[in-house]
Amino acid sequence: MTYRIAIGCDDAGLDYKERLAADLRADPRVSEVIDLGVHRDAADVHRPYPEIGLAAGEAVRAGTADRAVLVCGTGIGMALSANKVPGVRATTAHDSYSVERSVLSNNCQVLTVGQRVVGLELARRLVREWLGYEFDHRSPSAAKVELIAEYERC
């Protein structure tokens, strides 16, 4: 399976976003990288993180992206923003086990990292690992994820 990945950041995550986007473009599991901004030396460089997080969530919800990677100072603001989009599950992760469980237990489609929290090489590793996990809709976790989906439909 290959993924269409939306990627975005605010000004606090720009350096990592650029490196992660390059990694994603070189990864055979990725068929397309959709850069939602911000961009260095562009008018959008100071766009607030909620705009980017919401845009990534909307891309996942609309099906134009299968997953998204978002970067801000901590990863928290981006996760909060993307999670406001119904049907989207976003998480901040700073370790391999959390990345694994975010997909296998929670079917998260959006991974966020904090440029001010984790080193670049760790962020790159976490994104590579995250791409390797697929949610099993027959797993015991599927019923729990469905409870969240049911609540959103109310």
Side-chain angles (χ1 to χ4, degrees):
M1 171 167 198
T2 60
Y3 297 104
R4 294 164 299 157
I5 306 290
I7 191 164
C9 68
D10 63 3
D11 58 341
L14 183 54
D15 293 337
Y16 279 25
K17 183 208 71 161
E18 289 178 345
R19 185 55 193 256
L20 294 172
D23 288 350
L24 290 167
R25 287 184 186 98
D27 193 306
R29 298 170 294 180
V30 178
S31 60
E32 180 181 7
V33 175
I34 305 157
D35 190 335
L36 301 174
V38 300
H39 303 94
R40 193 174 308 281
D41 302 323
D44 75 341
V45 75
H46 294 296
R47 278 177 62 201
Y49 71 82
E51 288 183 11
I52 305 295
L54 291 166
E58 289 293 344
V60 169
R61 178 169 73 165
T64 57
D66 303 302
R67 293 184 177 186
V69 174
L70 299 170
V71 187
C72 63
T74 63
I76 296 168
M78 287 292 192
L80 290 170
S81 300
N83 275 318
K84 293 298 180 185
V85 178
V88 172
R89 289 168 303 281
T91 191
T92 303
H94 302 120
D95 63 90
S96 293
Y97 185 69
S98 296
V99 165
E100 173 190 311
R101 299 322 310 166
S102 75
V103 176
L104 299 183
S105 294
N106 305 115
N107 196 15
C108 285
Q109 316 102 311
V110 180
L111 176 65
T112 72
V113 295
Q115 183 169 314
R116 295 176 179 156
V117 179
V118 299
L120 176 59
E121 292 308 312
L122 177 57
R124 295 176 71 203
R125 176 183 174 167
L126 296 176
V127 171
R128 281 193 309 269
E129 291 174 356
W130 175 73
L131 284 172
Y133 296 114
E134 290 185 42
F135 184 70
D136 181 354
H137 292 278
R138 298 165 296 162
S139 74
S141 295
K144 298 168 190 168
V145 173
E146 182 55 29
L147 286 172
I148 297 168
E150 284 176 21
Y151 183 82
E152 288 177 323
R153 287 190 289 268
C154 292

